[in-house]
Amino acid sequence: SQDPGAVVTELNDIFSAFDRVVELFGCERIKTIGDSYVAVSGLPEPTPDHAINIAKVALRFKRYLERRNSAHPTKWYCRIGVATGPLIGSIVGIQKYVYDIFGPAVNLAARLEALSESMQITMDAKTRELIEADFVAASRGTAELKGFGEREIFTLVSERPSGR
């Protein structure tokens, strides 16, 4: 078992790197909960490239951890869920108010994350449809998703080489 202070220091390094990636692609970090990191694209300003931007972020998170793991004694692994759909952002609370997101897309992303293996990015069909010209995805068949029924799911594999 690891010293909690060391764990927090490492998470801080990782999340700081994730913050830079998120910013680079015009996305927003919503929150972190323990070792969980929640980011969104298309908020507060809608953007036509929201799905492409978040897919780039997801792949770079994974690549960052792969590189870090090759150079560090402590290994960190991610599971990522990516979904497209309706959500709202709102400030909640009075004393300790926070900006948070709510809606079907948030729940769907959480379900997809739970279906991911270690170092795997799982996404829904709608996201795949929006990014298929620019990214390689592999079908994982269908899965029963609580609150959403039977849905086709995909693994985000890589960006396609440009100049296709």
Side-chain angles (χ1 to χ4, degrees):
S1 86
Q2 235 192 329
D3 161 44
V7 171
V8 169
T9 300
E10 292 201 21
L11 258 186
N12 185 53
D13 290 348
I14 293 166
F15 286 173
S16 296
F18 284 7
D19 285 346
R20 288 190 291 275
V21 171
V22 160
E23 200 176 324
L24 192 62
F25 293 100
C27 299
E28 290 282 331
R29 165 165 48 110
I30 299 300
K31 61 185 169 186
T32 61
I33 310 156
D35 64 357
S36 172
Y37 187 104
V38 179
V40 67
S41 180
L43 267 185
E45 300 302 314
T47 169
D49 288 342
H50 59 89
I52 288 169
N53 292 340
I54 209 81
K56 286 179 176 178
V57 164
L59 286 167
R60 279 161 182 82
F61 281 5
K62 184 179 157 207
R63 190 165 69 210
Y64 170 82
L65 289 176
E66 287 167 347
R67 287 189 180 147
R68 190 179 194 285
N69 286 346
S70 68
H72 278 71
T74 309
K75 309 300 181 210
W76 288 82
Y77 302 97
C78 61
R79 294 192 324 257
I80 300 175
V82 178
T84 300
L87 59 77
I88 61 162
S90 179
I91 290 176
V92 287
I94 298 165
Q95 248 92 35
K96 299 240 182 206
Y97 60 88
V98 292
Y99 184 80
D100 206 347
I101 52 174
F102 306 89
V106 181
N107 301 333
L108 183 53
R111 305 269 188 275
L112 294 168
E113 181 265 335
L115 289 174
S116 294
E117 302 290 320
S118 178
M119 300 300 269
Q120 184 176 49
I121 302 164
T122 304
M123 63 184 173
D124 66 328
K126 176 137 194 213
T127 303
R128 181 190 160 263
E129 208 176 286
L130 291 169
I131 70 171
E132 63 185 337
D134 300 288
F135 295 84
V136 177
S139 175
R140 289 177 50 200
T142 61
E144 182 65 36
L145 302 177
K146 187 180 166 213
F148 296 93
E150 191 85 3
R151 292 282 182 102
E152 190 175 7
I153 61 171
F154 297 85
T155 298
L156 176 57
V157 178
S158 64
E159 270 183 83
R160 293 189 193 281
S162 46
R164 46 180 194 282

